[in-house]
Amino acid sequence: MLYIIGLGLGDEKDITLRGLEAVHKCHKLYIEAYTSLLSFGISSHGLSHLEKLYGKPVIVADREMVEEKVDGLLSEARDSDVAFLVVGDPFGATTHSDLVVRAKQMGVDVKVVHNASVMNAVGVCGLQLYRYGETVSIPFFTDTWRPDSFYDKIKKNCELGLHTLCLLDIKVKEPSLESLCRGKKEYEPPRFMSIKTAIEQLLEVEQKLGKSAYTEDTMCVGFARLGSEDQVIVAGTMRQLLTVDFGGPLHCLTIVSETHHVEEEMLGFFSVKE
């Protein structure tokens, strides 16, 4: 059996009882470590928290392994119980749907254990989840690559009166372009997009396209380390949030559209302090 187990958003204590029972019966444990991270990261010190609770080693599965070499993991799951641990909920990233498809194609049975994810935890600020439109991802810009495909999706959400959740890029074990050109992979240090960088990029795209999807005065909500004990939630205009220190990763951002009075009352508790 392949168990795909959601870990929640904070630390090792956020796993569900059902998830922990599955972990304890599994012969081998892998943790996916590139779509999101728990609050303590994936250092050896951080993994020790998980291994202490689980009572067995945890193998870090990077993007290359999951997307290119996953057949070995699935072959193991044919003969024994294997756990694939995912921060948040197993289906918060499309990669994990692909994993289920490949498992079933190989005749491997799959069980999923759900947990909290950023997709529902953002409701803590008071913006109601059914008033959200399509979620978008904001990638890091480079000198030669400054994509704007997310812009029209935000504009469409706004026209429908729907809020937009922006998931911000993280780079974990990414090979540098120079090393790929040399034919020998060398990995760049981890990078995590901040709310400040996301807003700067959003405003750059608005200035370039000029379709009035949002402005510096558009209300947003910034979230940092959502679900952890030291989470930070601040509501304010894009201009205001540029000056807020949200601290360490992970960050995400909601662009607010039409609101009703209950949402506005809740947002008031998180308003930026002038």
Side-chain angles (χ1 to χ4, degrees):
M1 180 74 69
L2 173 66
Y3 288 88
I4 306 180
I5 302 170
L7 298 182
L9 294 170
D11 56 27
E12 75 277 9
K13 298 176 184 176
D14 284 351
I15 193 170
T16 64
L17 288 175
R18 188 182 302 278
L20 191 58
E21 288 173 354
V23 161
H24 284 158
K25 72 163 64 173
C26 284
H27 173 69
K28 216 163 190 179
L29 309 180
Y30 293 88
I31 184 167
E32 186 264 274
Y34 63 91
T35 61
S36 189
L37 299 174
L38 289 172
S39 59
F40 46 66
I42 56 169
S43 65
S44 58
H45 175 69
L47 286 179
S48 68
H49 291 278
L50 297 176
E51 293 175 341
K52 182 177 180 181
L53 179 63
Y54 302 159
K56 58 190 75 173
V58 178
I59 301 165
V60 175
D62 59 22
R63 182 188 295 274
E64 182 178 306
M65 175 185 172
V66 176
E67 294 185 348
E68 301 174 17
K69 303 176 182 178
V70 75
D71 286 354
L73 182 155
L74 295 176
S75 294
E76 292 173 349
R78 276 178 168 161
D79 303 316
S80 61
D81 290 332
V82 174
F84 187 75
L85 310 176
V86 178
V87 176
D89 185 81
F91 295 113
T94 53
T95 296
H96 309 133
S97 297
D98 181 63
L99 180 62
V100 172
V101 170
R102 293 176 70 172
K104 291 186 178 295
Q105 289 173 342
M106 290 179 63
V108 176
D109 290 330
V110 178
K111 277 191 177 180
V112 175
V113 182
H114 293 285
N115 209 320
S117 79
V118 65
M119 305 292 284
N120 63 283
V122 291
V124 68
C125 74
L127 296 176
Q128 298 184 5
L129 296 178
Y130 66 82
R131 296 174 63 86
Y132 275 79
E134 183 175 355
T135 296
V136 302
S137 297
I138 311 296
F140 276 114
F141 285 179
T142 70
D143 292 339
T144 57
W145 189 65
R146 308 180 89 76
D148 54 27
S149 58
F150 52 80
Y151 180 85
D152 285 335
K153 296 176 183 178
I154 296 172
K155 189 173 189 301
K156 182 177 180 181
N157 286 345
C158 183
E159 291 170 348
L160 294 171
L162 301 174
H163 314 309
T164 304
L165 173 61
C166 302
L167 301 178
L168 309 188
D169 202 1
I170 71 171
K171 300 289 189 185
V172 179
K173 202 177 179 183
E174 294 283 335
S176 66
L177 180 59
E178 294 81 2
S179 71
L180 290 176
C181 291
R182 293 196 305 266
K184 182 180 180 181
K185 284 186 180 179
E186 294 176 358
Y187 298 101
E188 297 179 342
R191 289 195 298 152
F192 308 94
M193 184 180 289
S194 67
I195 289 164
K196 182 177 186 295
T197 297
I199 291 175
E200 289 172 343
Q201 294 188 178
L202 285 163
L203 292 174
E204 177 185 321
V205 172
E206 175 58 62
Q207 185 176 29
K208 179 177 71 173
L209 299 180
K211 299 179 183 178
S212 301
Y214 45 80
T215 70
E216 286 185 337
D217 296 317
T218 297
M219 182 63 64
C220 295
V221 185
F223 305 87
R225 300 171 303 285
L226 193 58
S228 65
E229 290 293 327
D230 65 343
Q231 71 178 15
V232 173
I233 304 168
V234 182
T237 65
M238 285 191 174
R239 183 189 298 109
Q240 290 173 321
L241 295 189
L242 281 172
T243 65
V244 175
D245 181 5
F246 283 91
L250 298 171
H251 294 185
C252 63
L253 179 75
T254 288
I255 300 173
V256 181
S257 186
E258 296 175 10
T259 55
H260 57 62
H261 67 92
V262 176
E263 290 180 304
E264 291 168 4
E265 289 176 2
M266 279 287 287
L267 282 180
F269 295 118
F270 302 103
S271 293
V272 65
K273 302 297 187 291
E274 297 289 356

